[in-house]
Amino acid sequence: MSHAANTRTPYIVCERVTKSFGAHQVLKGVSTQFCQGEVTVIIGASGSGKSTLLRALNRLEPHDGGRITIAGVEVTDHEATLQQQRCEVGMVFQQFNLFGHMTVLDNVTLAPRRIRKTPRATANAQALQLLERVGMAAHAHKYPWQLSGGQQQRVAIARALAMQPQVMLFDEPTSALDPEMVQEVLEVMRGLAREGMTMIVVTHEMGFAREVADRVMFFDQGQIAHEAPPAEFFARPGNERIAAFIGRMAH
């Protein structure tokens, strides 16, 4: 892990971000920043606002108040800006969201061809390199239904990387997987972290948080209750609720 975190450049900045669904306030004035080259793991109970924050970063869930900027540009509904920002911020979901009628290769090349106007031959060559990186090159011509969940999630990671994003968001990327498939997906994510990819990961995988994160952030009832580098975070959890949560997750 890098100890130069304090010299890193903030890439995504959140200032007092709020979000409600009806009468229920899910984000209560969240302020934080995510720096280039940093791996942030966000943990916390279901409904604490972690996934909502992640979705707000690329406007899948418009925030109600406060401000989010990506590379200094505010996240709004301005179409051209938003398209550009979504190219820079890749996202991997719980459910793999692959197109079932398209091969693995076509799933990975679709966005670069359609949005970046990458010629097919170039897009295919780049996609095969990415599939190699996630250990899926041998399956390029299969369809999603022919793959296991872990394989589909690795293809989904390759698809997000195909847009050459600056940041990767992972929203509980292993929670829909059978236990034996979790490690193969985490291994791909560890590789990305080693390569210096900026990552924001919502997960319940405590081992991954301990090993890969530069900092761990605990969400509680719509707010950041505690954040620290992993060694410190797990040694001194900050309060009883966090200690209890870590205890539950460890079993």
Side-chain angles (χ1 to χ4, degrees):
M1 293 300 108
S2 160
H3 297 291
N6 51 356
T7 60
R8 290 183 173 153
T9 314
Y11 189 74
I12 297 178
V13 178
C14 302
E15 298 169 40
R16 301 179 304 284
V17 175
T18 60
K19 173 69 184 179
S20 296
F21 294 108
H24 178 50
Q25 194 175 15
V26 189
L27 295 177
K28 301 174 183 170
V30 173
S31 295
T32 187
Q33 54 190 37
F34 302 96
C35 293
Q36 282 174 317
E38 179 184 58
V39 178
T40 303
V41 172
I42 304 177
I43 64 174
S46 293
S48 58
K50 333 179 278 297
S51 292
T52 304
L53 178 69
L54 217 57
R55 295 171 69 85
L57 297 181
N58 63 2
R59 202 82 181 157
L60 290 174
E61 207 61 83
H63 51 291
D64 301 328
R67 197 161 174 266
I68 299 172
T69 58
I70 298 174
V73 180
E74 188 163 358
V75 177
T76 64
D77 285 328
H78 183 272
E79 191 112 350
T81 309
L82 190 56
Q83 175 122 336
Q84 178 58 41
Q85 287 172 329
R86 284 183 176 159
C87 290
E88 290 167 17
V89 181
M91 184 144 186
V92 176
F93 301 88
Q94 231 169 357
Q95 304 299 341
F96 326 119
N97 297 0
L98 298 173
F99 292 109
H101 64 288
M102 297 169 92
T103 63
V104 163
L105 187 64
D106 287 341
N107 265 285
V108 177
T109 59
L110 180 67
R113 283 173 41 215
R114 192 171 281 179
I115 297 168
R116 291 213 191 272
K117 305 290 184 262
T118 308
R120 184 183 284 269
T122 309
N124 282 355
Q126 289 170 347
L128 285 168
Q129 279 184 326
L130 289 171
L131 289 168
E132 184 71 47
R133 211 164 136 187
V134 300
M136 289 298 295
H139 302 278
H141 298 293
K142 289 186 180 171
Y143 288 87
W145 55 268
Q146 296 174 293
L147 306 175
S148 71
Q151 289 174 323
Q152 289 188 58
Q153 192 60 295
R154 286 187 281 154
V155 171
I157 293 172
R159 178 183 58 182
L161 289 171
M163 290 301 285
Q164 300 165 345
Q166 298 294 313
V167 181
M168 287 281 279
L169 310 179
F170 292 88
D171 189 7
E172 302 201 23
T174 58
S175 62
L177 299 178
D178 294 332
E180 66 272 16
M181 292 171 193
V182 169
Q183 286 309 319
E184 67 189 57
V185 172
L186 292 179
E187 194 44 51
V188 169
M189 294 168 64
R190 286 185 193 104
L192 290 177
R194 281 194 295 269
E195 290 163 23
M197 172 61 80
T198 308
M199 295 161 63
I200 307 172
V201 185
V202 169
T203 187
H204 290 300
E205 298 293 334
M206 296 298 131
F208 177 82
R210 284 174 194 271
E211 182 191 340
V212 179
D214 291 298
R215 63 172 174 161
V216 180
M217 186 181 281
F218 185 84
F219 255 69
D220 191 24
Q221 300 175 336
Q223 293 173 310
I224 299 168
H226 184 52
E227 61 175 288
E232 185 186 324
F233 185 94
F234 289 106
R236 295 187 292 284
N239 66 38
E240 289 305 311
R241 284 174 75 104
I242 300 173
F245 178 84
I246 293 170
R248 284 200 303 279
M249 288 297 131
H251 300 305

